[in-house]
Amino acid sequence: MGRKNEIMKKSVGIDYGSFESGGIVFDYEKMMAEAGYSLDEIIAIQNEVTVGSTPLIELKNITNLARQVSSTGQAARIFVKDEACNPSGSFKARRAATAVYHAKKLGYKGVIAATSGNYGAAVASQAAKHGLKCIVVQECYDSNKIGQPEILEKQRACEAMGAEVIQLSVGPELFYLFLKLLEETGYFNASLYTPFGIAGVETLGMEIATQFKEKFNRLPDVVLSTHAGGGNITGTARGLIKAGAKDVKVYGASVDLSGLHMASDTAFNKKSFTTGHTGFGIPFASFPDRSDVPRNAARPLRYMDRYLLVKQGEVFYITEALAVLEGLERGPAGNTSITAAFALAQTMKNDETIIVQETEYTGAGKHQMAQLSFAKANGIKVEFGNPEEEIAGKNIILPKDPSMIKLRDFDLNKIRKSYIKNCLNNYGIKGSDLTNEDIKFLAEETKTDEGLVREAINSL
Amino acid sequence: MKTKKGTWVQIRAVVLMPDERAPQVPLDTKQTPLTMWVKGHLCHDAKIGEECKITTVTGRIVSGILEEVEPYYTHNFGGYVPELDAIRKQVREF
């Protein structure tokens, strides 16, 4: 582990030191510009491998349902960007397309990704296309070798596209094995969090702005993104800004799994969502540089205007509704933000619009039926009632009727404050020793102003 | 019975023993070893439960305990979930 930085530099080909100031401040935009690709380059890279350009679909029947249960009788129009149409079945193909292209360009023989999510299949798919070898490292089983069905399916998908999958029991030491593999193979670290990976998602934001404008001659009011590691929201928001849609509100949504310890062997199979949940969403927002690269290019607090939480039971309900009302059978984890949109729409007017910026493929394991069966087998009570009473790991409460799907705001200032606190701790700096430049940087990092940063520091 | 060299198998290996686990790991996890499963072709004849070597699809040679011969996928769509039927009916009635 002592050689971490050296291994990292070799395996991503970026000298992160050149963007550092030696303290809290680093030049994020310089890193994105120099280490990443321009939007036009990325469009060309993704076109070449038929990634992106997914359809934007209006969910008229879901919108109607929202209007019927809304207390005002009004609800915003809900649209979804059908990212399941990408080659590997999710928006992650955008990130993998740029990462694998870059690896090939630099002459690496193979790529490695540490992920239990859709990114594994995305990297496997792109590696297959470019003729590179691919290793995916997954946290998959509990200590009794019981695998989460969603992750087992992702393993199958990776192997189907020629990747070697290394499956691990629960624990953050996955990173230790990941580093050993990078050193052993000399492969490229196709991290989710490099500038090229994040820049790969910018096309998603750009397409939303362009497609919507072409159809309606204006921009949408809100773009809702499922939030986990932060790359989805960061890339989408940056793409929107680059397309001139800087006033569009960008909201994040996660499944509320509070109370479940993410590194616990016994809690591992008690959750029905393996991504898009608060177990990633909150720690990655409050400390992005915890990732597998020295500086994470995914910095969600820079872009997020609101953070909404939904319950597991609510997402399963909406996933089922999406299938029978819209004829779109999609994976539950990807429907996290559709669920939030359903509740959010009811606080808006009929002529306002929300774009949900992703869907994901569904299949064995990655399906509400598989997940609810698995939950029951693991002693989780599945019942109808008020989702507000759902306790992750104990029960899944399906809303008794759709009016019970509610909007829950997570206080962003709480995460911003904890981000600032983490910065001070990590760099061993006292709040009183921060320079004006540090304060300015922290304000940019948290999408607030210097006054708020100073106030937060004083309250720590 | 020995499994023949060249057969597609899954092996298991311990990466970290319980006493080698990271300090931040919760207690329940700390009592278990960090275990790894990998698939590949057997480099030599071996019995289930025996130490063996495999060649993975990327060409790496990995050692471990032979656990499964010709492993296949068993994850599925789960059993019948009556609650989903009820949701289907409800949203259509609106």
Side-chain angles (χ1 to χ4, degrees):
Chain A
M1 286 302 254
R3 296 189 310 280
K4 180 184 156 189
N5 280 341
E6 191 194 321
I7 298 171
M8 279 298 165
K9 196 170 160 183
K10 245 192 205 159
S11 68
V12 288
I14 298 173
D15 179 8
Y16 282 91
S18 64
F19 314 115
E20 293 291 346
S21 69
I24 284 178
V25 176
F26 86 103
D27 198 334
Y28 177 56
E29 288 302 337
K30 188 177 166 203
M31 178 178 89
M32 293 306 283
E34 286 183 9
Y37 289 92
S38 74
L39 199 51
D40 285 340
E41 284 171 313
I42 292 167
I43 293 168
I45 291 167
Q46 292 180 345
N47 271 342
E48 188 65 27
V49 289
T50 56
V51 164
S53 304
T54 54
L56 183 67
I57 301 171
E58 180 164 10
L59 303 179
K60 290 187 180 171
N61 295 331
I62 294 278
T63 301
N64 260 337
L65 186 64
R67 285 176 185 166
Q68 285 185 57
V69 297
S70 161
S71 59
T72 61
Q74 297 228 23
R77 292 165 73 181
I78 305 169
F79 296 75
V80 70
K81 188 84 167 126
D82 200 14
E83 287 291 291
C85 297
N86 278 303
S88 59
S90 77
F91 86 96
K92 292 278 170 53
R94 296 179 189 262
R95 279 159 105 156
T98 47
V100 177
Y101 171 88
H102 193 70
K104 173 96 175 176
K105 194 177 88 174
L106 297 184
Y108 287 86
K109 298 278 175 270
V111 290
I112 305 188
T115 166
S116 304
N118 289 324
Y119 188 56
V123 174
S125 160
Q126 289 300 310
K129 191 96 176 163
H130 286 286
L132 295 186
K133 290 184 174 178
C134 176
I135 298 177
V136 175
V137 188
Q138 285 188 333
E139 183 183 57
C140 177
Y141 294 116
D142 67 10
S143 55
N144 295 315
K145 207 191 174 189
I146 307 288
Q148 221 293 342
E150 191 173 21
I151 303 177
L152 292 174
E153 163 54 20
K154 289 164 188 169
Q155 171 217 12
R156 186 207 58 78
C158 292
E159 290 182 343
M161 290 181 275
E164 172 182 333
V165 180
I166 295 177
Q167 297 178 292
L168 290 170
S169 59
V170 181
E173 306 101 321
L174 179 149
F175 189 60
Y176 158 78
L177 184 74
F178 177 70
L179 282 178
K180 275 195 9 186
L181 281 163
L182 285 174
E183 203 175 26
E184 176 195 323
T185 59
Y187 288 178
F188 180 77
N189 174 10
S191 159
L192 276 159
Y193 305 110
T194 56
F196 15 90
I198 299 307
V201 190
E202 290 178 4
T203 51
L204 177 47
M206 184 270 310
E207 284 172 26
I208 288 171
T210 318
Q211 286 173 319
F212 199 86
K213 223 171 169 178
E214 262 171 25
K215 246 180 176 163
F216 303 106
N217 204 24
R218 66 181 185 101
L219 289 166
D221 296 292
V222 175
V223 170
L224 242 169
S225 160
T226 300
H227 169 57
N232 198 9
I233 209 163
T234 303
T236 303
R238 291 178 61 83
L240 284 166
I241 294 166
K242 287 186 180 178
K246 61 178 186 348
D247 295 329
V248 173
K249 295 281 174 223
V250 176
Y251 296 173
S254 297
V255 176
D256 183 3
L257 288 191
S258 51
L260 281 184
H261 197 302
M262 291 304 135
S264 159
D265 182 58
T266 43
F268 184 67
N269 279 328
K270 293 205 182 287
K271 57 183 187 287
S272 300
F273 287 81
T274 62
T275 186
H277 57 68
T278 50
F280 292 132
I282 295 172
F284 269 93
S286 55
F287 179 24
D289 296 324
R290 64 170 60 242
S291 81
D292 56 359
V293 286
R295 282 295 189 177
N296 192 343
R299 309 194 82 81
L301 285 186
R302 281 183 172 251
Y303 303 99
M304 206 183 325
D305 294 301
R306 238 172 123 175
Y307 185 29
L308 307 171
L309 301 190
V310 293
K311 299 285 187 176
Q312 298 185 94
E314 294 174 328
V315 184
F316 288 134
Y317 190 102
I318 287 294
T319 300
E320 198 58 45
L322 187 70
V324 294
L325 295 181
E326 301 286 352
L328 287 174
E329 198 190 9
R330 298 291 181 264
N335 293 335
T336 302
S337 41
I338 298 188
T339 309
F342 182 78
L344 177 70
Q346 295 170 48
T347 65
M348 296 165 69
K349 296 203 176 75
N350 281 351
D351 60 353
E352 291 181 295
T353 50
I354 303 173
I355 310 279
V356 173
Q357 51 76 281
E358 70 160 320
T359 57
E360 59 160 4
Y361 87 101
T362 186
K366 267 170 81 73
H367 194 277
Q368 59 275 30
M369 214 150 61
Q371 286 297 344
L372 286 172
S373 298
F374 186 69
K376 287 178 182 182
N378 277 287
I380 310 289
K381 208 168 165 203
V382 176
E383 58 192 332
F384 282 99
N386 181 358
E388 211 53 61
E389 288 160 20
E390 183 177 287
I391 302 166
K394 297 258 183 285
N395 58 12
I396 291 175
I397 303 191
L398 301 159
K400 212 161 71 188
D401 72 77
S403 71
M404 301 189 92
I405 299 171
K406 292 288 181 215
L407 202 60
R408 289 169 207 91
D409 262 290
F410 189 93
D411 183 4
L412 264 182
N413 277 338
K414 236 167 108 178
I415 310 186
R416 289 171 176 141
K417 228 167 128 177
S418 114
Y419 167 78
I420 292 168
K421 197 172 150 191
N422 283 330
C423 271
L424 295 177
N425 288 344
N426 294 333
Y427 292 92
I429 300 172
K430 277 196 234 141
S432 52
D433 293 340
L434 288 174
T435 63
N436 285 340
E437 207 192 343
D438 290 331
I439 304 271
K440 189 172 159 249
F441 173 78
L442 290 173
E444 280 167 13
E445 282 276 278
T446 52
K447 205 178 183 182
T448 51
D449 54 48
E450 296 177 22
L452 258 159
V453 173
R454 286 182 201 280
E455 203 184 294
I457 291 166
N458 290 336
S459 71
L460 288 176
Chain B
M1 203 183 72
K2 291 236 175 197
T3 302
K4 289 264 176 251
K5 175 184 172 182
T7 309
W8 181 248
V9 298
Q10 182 181 48
I11 61 164
R12 179 187 82 234
V14 168
V15 182
L16 294 172
M17 292 301 285
D19 61 355
E20 296 170 316
R21 300 215 60 164
Q24 75 270 30
V25 168
L27 275 181
D28 62 337
T29 310
K30 229 174 211 168
Q31 286 163 6
T32 66
L34 180 68
T35 308
M36 163 181 90
W37 290 265
V38 195
K39 293 174 190 166
H41 296 281
L42 258 182
C43 297
H44 51 82
D45 293 0
K47 273 190 198 162
I48 286 186
E50 271 181 8
E51 184 77 26
C52 66
K53 281 193 165 64
I54 59 165
T55 308
T56 68
V57 292
T58 64
R60 295 189 315 120
I61 308 282
V62 186
S63 304
I65 304 289
L66 180 56
E67 185 156 294
E68 273 190 61
V69 174
E70 298 187 338
Y72 58 98
Y73 306 108
T74 54
H75 64 287
N76 55 32
F77 284 93
Y80 172 67
V81 181
E83 292 84 356
L84 292 175
D85 264 1
I87 295 172
R88 244 170 264 155
K89 191 163 168 272
Q90 187 180 56
V91 296
R92 277 189 171 141
E93 276 168 2
F94 261 92

